[in-house]
Amino acid sequence: MSSKICKEIYIEPRQEHLLKAIAQQAGVSEAKIIRQAIDLHLGKITAPQTNLAMWEAEREFINQIKTRSAQLGGRDWQREDLYER
């Protein structure tokens, strides 16, 4: 048996009624019906894609700022500069 994680959930009374009916008709546990429903739903959702090029551009921007020499009397950039990229 694979390991499972216990989750407590709250469902509506109509969901409880349908869940019991479906589980009884299928001859499986209510938990199995819930797991199958989750799998079905998650199969329709695509995971967010990480845009590595954007992260690399951000890293380059940070490295450019880190290599700037310190200016006496304060910073050498304005807040608005951060929003013009």
Side-chain angles (χ1 to χ4, degrees), residues 55-69:
W55 280 110
E56 289 301 322
E58 187 69 18
R59 182 180 301 180
E60 180 60 31
F61 174 73
I62 291 168
N63 285 335
Q64 288 173 4
I65 290 175
K66 286 174 30 180
T67 59
R68 290 182 183 173
S69 59

Side-chain angles (χ1 to χ4, degrees), residues 4 9 13 16-18 23 31 35 37-38 40 42 44 47 50 58-59 62-63 68 76 82 84:
K4 294 183 176 57
I9 64 167
E16 168 77 357
H17 177 72
L18 287 170
R35 287 191 298 271
I38 291 171
L40 252 167
L42 294 179
K44 296 175 184 176
T50 302
E58 187 69 18
R59 182 180 301 180
I62 291 168
N63 285 335
R68 290 182 183 173
D76 66 341
L82 296 176
E84 293 180 8

Side-chain angles (χ1 to χ4, degrees), residues 1-71:
M1 179 179 189
S2 64
S3 66
K4 294 183 176 57
I5 299 167
C6 180
K7 296 287 183 182
E8 182 176 345
I9 64 167
Y10 293 91
I11 61 176
E12 301 292 329
R14 66 174 181 78
Q15 294 169 322
E16 168 77 357
H17 177 72
L18 287 170
L19 181 59
K20 285 189 179 303
I22 292 168
Q24 185 178 20
Q25 185 180 14
V28 296
S29 69
E30 292 176 27
K32 183 166 186 168
I33 299 299
I34 292 170
R35 287 191 298 271
Q36 289 173 344
I38 291 171
D39 286 340
L40 252 167
H41 181 74
L42 294 179
K44 296 175 184 176
I45 298 173
T46 57
Q49 300 297 313
T50 302
N51 186 336
L52 294 179
M54 292 298 291
W55 280 110
E56 289 301 322
E58 187 69 18
R59 182 180 301 180
E60 180 60 31
F61 174 73
I62 291 168
N63 285 335
Q64 288 173 4
I65 290 175
K66 286 174 30 180
T67 59
R68 290 182 183 173
S69 59
Q71 299 282 326

Side-chain angles (χ1 to χ4, degrees), residues 61 78-85:
F61 174 73
Q78 298 297 315
R79 182 181 192 95
E80 294 78 31
D81 295 341
L82 296 176
Y83 300 103
E84 293 180 8
R85 295 184 282 131

